Amino acid sequence: MSAERERALRDIQSDERSLIVAAGKVLADDKASTSLLVELLRTERRPENRQGILYALAWHSELSIWDQMVEIVADTTEHPKVRGQAAEVLSYMFIDREPGTRSFNAAVAVLVEATKDPSPEVRYCAAHTIGSSGYLPLRPHLEALLGDREPVDLGR
């Protein structure tokens, strides 16, 4: 394993936000770290760290994590930053999913529900992902959010 990857994997587990953000950027460019990041996601509980891990995974476009991302978005016990980041991960993979399939429909159902979430961050990220899906039957759900003026702090 490269020294840069080792350092980034250590830093993404740090308590220091600046290290987590920098590590997420390094690991986003390192698709060989996908399985290591997925394993970290299974064990890491801190929201800032989970968000950093998910940020890196978003750039890997690894379809094998689709169902896991759907579960995270649906899990209302997760921090809104984590749920929003998981929705963003899905946004990069929708192009590779076939409408009408079980996995596509599961994501759509979770994202539609997320547009009604109490957290503006979750609503924003769900809307972004629905929009990026290009799936026209979802347009009414986006239109329903046009009046949502609650500010979003993405804090990324």
Side-chain angles (χ1 to χ4, degrees):
M1 183 180 317
S2 76
E4 182 179 43
R5 180 184 304 143
E6 281 186 44
R7 184 176 59 253
L9 287 168
R10 183 182 61 249
D11 289 349
I12 208 157
Q13 297 174 73
S14 166
D15 289 328
E16 197 171 319
R17 178 149 173 75
S18 62
L19 291 177
I20 296 167
V21 169
K25 290 177 182 177
V26 168
L27 294 166
D29 291 332
D30 182 7
K31 290 188 179 191
S33 68
T34 301
S35 62
L36 299 168
L37 289 167
V38 169
E39 186 56 37
L40 279 177
L41 190 59
R42 284 189 186 110
T43 58
E44 180 60 64
R45 299 288 25 118
R46 295 170 292 177
E48 294 283 335
N49 305 80
R50 289 176 66 76
Q51 183 183 21
I53 293 165
L54 289 167
Y55 171 84
L57 285 170
W59 298 97
H60 293 202
S61 296
E62 179 58 49
L63 287 175
S64 67
I65 64 171
W66 178 273
D67 291 338
Q68 187 177 8
M69 297 304 106
V70 171
E71 288 173 17
I72 292 171
V73 175
D75 184 354
T76 58
T77 66
E78 282 276 12
H79 192 282
K81 288 182 181 204
V82 175
R83 295 175 63 218
Q85 191 68 58
E88 187 175 324
V89 173
L90 290 172
S91 74
Y92 296 109
M93 295 189 287
F94 252 111
I95 194 162
D96 295 320
R97 287 291 178 191
E98 187 68 33
T101 61
R102 182 207 59 80
S103 60
F104 184 93
N105 291 343
V108 165
V110 163
L111 291 165
V112 166
E113 189 61 31
T115 65
K116 303 169 198 151
D117 198 85
S119 166
E121 182 173 12
V122 173
R123 292 193 308 271
Y124 170 85
C125 291
H128 166 77
T129 301
I130 287 171
S132 71
S133 76
Y135 189 54
L136 291 178
L138 292 175
R139 184 175 176 170
H141 298 286
L142 291 177
E143 290 171 347
L145 291 169
L146 287 173
D148 188 343
R149 298 288 183 233
E150 189 171 353
V152 177
D153 176 18
L154 295 177
R156 294 183 184 178

